[in-house]
Amino acid sequence: MVIPPANSGNFGADPLSGADLEEICAIIYQRSGMVFGETKRYYIERRVTDLISQRKAQSARNYISILRGDLRETELLINSFTVNETYFYREQHQLACLSNSILPDVIKAKGPGDRIRIWSMPCSSGEEPYSIAIWLLENWPLVDAYNIEITGSDIDTAILRQAVDGYYGQRSLSKIPKDILDRYFEPEKDQQRRLIGDLRESVTFAKGNIVDRPSLAALGRFDVIFCRNLLIYFDEAAREIAARNIHELLYPRGYICLGHTESMSRISETFEPVRFPDAIVYREAGDK
């Protein structure tokens, strides 16, 4: 999508007053937990000005009134602010940790054929949950001995539709070895590839907001959660809500993998760090 400059249309060089910007940031925070403010004014105005133009709103105040009364419009606003920078096999050391250490520990409490549930949140356009599926097929010898369920969730509804479709360009696929690329991705036009149908069907996608517990109610509980590079966009209050929701969605002694700059120890005492050879992850603390 082409974003017009902030001074386009009939809204002048500064379409958002201080009060307008504050109210829009409050809506984004209430709906997503993401924190924006005056220091990100240019970033905010670029996106909001484009939405104002698309809706043919008469002013920023009129657009805010639309936001307050239209959940679909708020969803479009949130979609425009999400960051979807990702690629296959990102932070591969955590995938190695999953197959080498986490799952061998998880199955100690399971029998052959039992379910193992893995959740990727946020999943963006699907690279992360699909990477988990491919990695386990290629690297975990017991992959066929258990009923593995992988779920991907994101607050961005547009990006979820892309995940379901499963089309990817060279940037997303650049870290995948060629033999795996040829095995799991079919060539398409414009140098794109599409994930094979069996793999697309192996992952379930659902909208979810990590700071809104009701939106997660239908997901159930998980043995392993990947929640990487999301909490860095939250303030302390939103991080605490997210940690509480993650805790409720984990089975006892379940695992969570965060981004390399994130630490659950500074947010919640309900998790304990675990140092495996491949990565440091966090485990639901349970009864010690």
Side-chain angles (χ1 to χ4, degrees), residues 19-274:
D20 292 338
L21 185 139
E22 184 176 344
E23 190 164 356
I24 287 172
C25 290
I27 292 171
I28 295 170
Y29 180 75
Q30 291 163 6
R31 299 290 184 181
S32 72
M34 293 186 293
V35 178
F36 293 95
E38 185 66 42
T39 57
K40 295 293 182 77
R41 171 176 282 275
Y42 178 69
Y43 179 86
I44 296 164
E45 284 186 345
R46 286 181 61 204
R47 285 150 181 79
V48 172
T49 301
D50 185 62
L51 290 169
I52 288 172
S53 178
Q54 290 179 29
R55 302 301 161 261
K56 296 181 171 58
Q58 296 178 349
S59 65
R61 292 306 310 167
N62 179 250
Y63 175 68
I64 291 171
S65 296
I66 294 172
L67 284 176
R68 290 296 187 190
D70 189 338
L71 290 177
R72 173 58 181 161
E73 192 63 39
T74 306
E75 183 177 278
L76 293 174
L77 174 71
I78 298 302
N79 287 357
S80 73
F81 277 83
T82 55
V83 178
N84 296 304
E85 174 64 28
T86 187
Y87 50 86
F88 282 88
Y89 279 19
R90 188 178 189 181
E91 297 190 34
Q92 186 173 315
H93 63 284
Q94 287 189 344
L95 296 175
C97 185
L98 177 66
S99 58
N100 293 335
S101 301
I102 294 175
L103 290 182
D105 185 56
V106 167
I107 63 173
K108 290 177 182 178
K110 296 182 182 291
D114 284 352
R115 289 195 310 170
I116 296 174
R117 304 198 70 226
I118 303 173
W119 185 36
S120 170
M121 170 70 182
C123 68
S124 188
S125 43
E127 286 90 337
E128 182 170 292
Y130 288 140
S131 289
I132 294 169
I134 294 171
W135 181 270
L136 294 182
L137 285 171
E138 292 292 316
N139 296 282
W140 195 42
L142 296 178
V143 66
D144 292 324
Y146 295 89
N147 178 15
I148 299 174
E149 296 181 0
I150 302 173
T151 298
S153 297
D154 205 286
I155 196 172
D156 187 333
T157 51
I159 209 70
L160 282 175
R161 289 191 289 271
Q162 292 183 33
V164 172
D165 289 342
Y167 290 95
Y168 299 100
Q170 291 180 317
R171 184 179 183 128
S172 288
L173 302 169
S174 61
K175 301 296 184 182
I176 296 185
K178 187 178 186 308
D179 61 322
I180 295 177
L181 184 66
D182 292 339
R183 190 150 54 245
Y184 294 107
F185 294 85
E186 299 171 331
E188 296 284 340
K189 62 181 180 180
D190 299 327
Q191 295 186 312
Q192 282 198 321
R193 286 183 178 247
R194 191 180 194 191
L195 191 70
I196 60 173
D198 285 349
L199 261 294
R200 296 200 308 274
E201 293 171 4
S202 72
V203 175
T204 300
F205 291 97
K207 181 185 176 184
N209 181 349
I210 197 65
V211 295
D212 178 29
R213 186 66 180 87
S215 76
L216 309 173
L219 295 178
R221 302 176 78 181
F222 297 88
D223 298 286
V224 185
I225 295 175
F226 283 77
C227 183
R228 305 191 292 192
N229 305 310
L230 174 62
L231 301 182
I232 56 175
Y233 295 100
F234 294 173
D235 64 3
E236 183 177 349
R239 281 194 289 269
E240 290 177 356
I241 294 171
R244 186 164 60 247
N245 290 337
I246 289 169
H247 182 263
E248 292 179 2
L249 288 167
L250 270 178
Y251 284 123
R253 310 298 281 170
Y255 289 89
I256 177 169
C257 300
L258 299 178
H260 70 279
T261 63
E262 299 169 314
S263 170
M264 191 61 80
S265 299
R266 294 194 294 266
I267 304 171
S268 172
E269 296 180 353
T270 58
F271 300 89
E272 58 186 9
V274 182

